[in-house]
Amino acid sequence: MAGRAWREYCGRRARRPHARTHLHGETDLPDPAPPSPASVALVIGFEGGIGSALVRELEASERFSRVIGLGRRSNPPLDLLDEASVSAALGQAASAGELRLVLHAAGVLHGPGLTPEKSLSRIDPEAMALAFAVNATGPALVMKHLAPLLPRRGRCVFAALSARVGSIGDNRLGGWYAYRASKAALNQLVHTAAIELARRNPEALCVALHPGTVATGLSAPIVGDDDRAQPPEMAARKLLAVLDALPASATGGFFDPEGQVVPW
């Protein structure tokens, strides 16, 4: 069953329309234009529960000239399994203004043939490859093509949603091999990218964030009716508040919804 994970995921990608979407945030980007001083907030994975809540919170704050959502249903689409689409979508978003805030809220935990493993015997190589492709390699490609587009002066922020289960030091329960390992890889990628980005712009902040337990489609099969799961809007507000409070010296860190450091 798990062996079909990659093929079924790719099949869903191929069937997704690239038509204009009417979700919150601008997802139909304009043709490239000359550089503009407008400040842009960009949310990658705007279709998800946390991503869509982040778009709504940013729009309501009116702190940015533009709030843009990118994902497989935006126009142009951004597909983490297609590097050309990542490059094209980010390039067009950058034409809208200065990218001052970029939030990576895309990821995969479960799906057809892909479920958190409770034991070593449940590890499937195709399912693990998919988890790494979406949760680690995908964000790495985003950072690769985003880095040259970020401002070289002034504060700019890149934050990737990770997960506490990706912490090696905090792992006391075991299990969830593919998801844990892919998020641990993401944490390393973010920390390493932060070092490089700081050389380009000392005021840049590049961090990994644990959003907490959130009631979304990603977590629904896992948390069920757990009343400890917070609504996406609350999670989004907390995450944005954490980013607002972090100085540039915190770059490369891993933080929870209260702004506390999560062990690697």
Side-chain angles (χ1 to χ4, degrees):
M1 182 68 176
R4 296 200 304 271
W6 183 275
R7 293 186 294 276
E8 294 190 16
Y9 185 86
C10 291
R12 294 199 303 277
R13 290 169 52 228
R15 293 190 294 272
R16 286 188 181 273
H18 291 164
R20 183 185 180 100
T21 173
H22 297 288
L23 296 181
H24 288 272
E26 297 182 46
T27 60
D28 224 3
L29 299 184
D31 292 331
S36 165
S39 61
V40 174
L42 179 61
V43 179
I44 298 169
F46 79 99
E47 306 102 322
I50 299 178
S52 60
L54 285 167
V55 168
R56 291 191 294 271
E57 289 296 319
L58 289 167
E59 287 180 329
S61 74
E62 298 183 343
R63 293 171 53 189
F64 296 89
S65 305
R66 304 277 296 275
V67 178
I68 296 173
L70 289 178
R72 287 180 292 175
R73 289 188 289 162
S74 62
N75 186 13
L78 186 151
D79 187 334
L80 295 176
L81 303 184
D82 179 359
E83 183 174 1
S85 79
V86 172
S87 176
L90 290 176
Q92 199 148 331
S95 72
E98 294 182 332
L99 299 176
R100 290 295 173 180
L101 174 63
V102 180
L103 303 173
H104 190 286
V108 64
L109 170 60
H110 60 83
L114 177 62
T115 56
E117 311 92 339
K118 294 182 179 180
S119 69
L120 286 167
S121 64
R122 304 301 299 174
I123 291 178
D124 177 87
E126 289 191 19
M128 183 167 281
L130 174 59
F132 269 81
V134 176
N135 296 336
T137 306
L141 293 176
V142 168
M143 290 186 284
K144 170 185 175 180
H145 292 283
L146 178 67
L149 302 175
L150 292 174
R152 288 183 173 270
R153 293 182 180 179
R155 182 176 173 88
C156 61
V157 176
F158 174 81
L161 296 195
S162 183
R164 187 179 291 275
V165 296
S167 166
I168 296 173
D170 193 57
N171 183 0
R172 298 178 179 83
L173 298 176
W176 290 38
Y177 288 91
Y179 190 69
R180 283 186 188 276
S182 64
K183 289 297 187 177
L186 171 62
N187 292 342
Q188 178 69 279
L189 290 164
V190 168
H191 182 79
T192 304
I195 297 171
E196 181 174 343
L197 290 176
R199 298 187 186 118
R200 296 170 177 262
N201 180 354
E203 296 181 69
L205 178 70
C206 178
V207 295
L209 297 177
H210 166 57
T213 303
V214 186
T216 67
L218 180 75
S219 64
I222 308 301
V223 303
D225 297 326
D226 190 339
D227 57 10
R228 291 173 296 179
Q230 60 187 322
E233 292 75 18
M234 180 182 295
R237 286 193 291 271
K238 287 183 177 181
L239 293 172
L240 293 173
V242 168
L243 292 176
D244 284 344
L246 291 177
S249 59
T251 195
F254 182 18
F255 301 93
D256 71 9
E258 309 305 322
Q260 299 300 307
V261 174
V262 180
W264 296 118

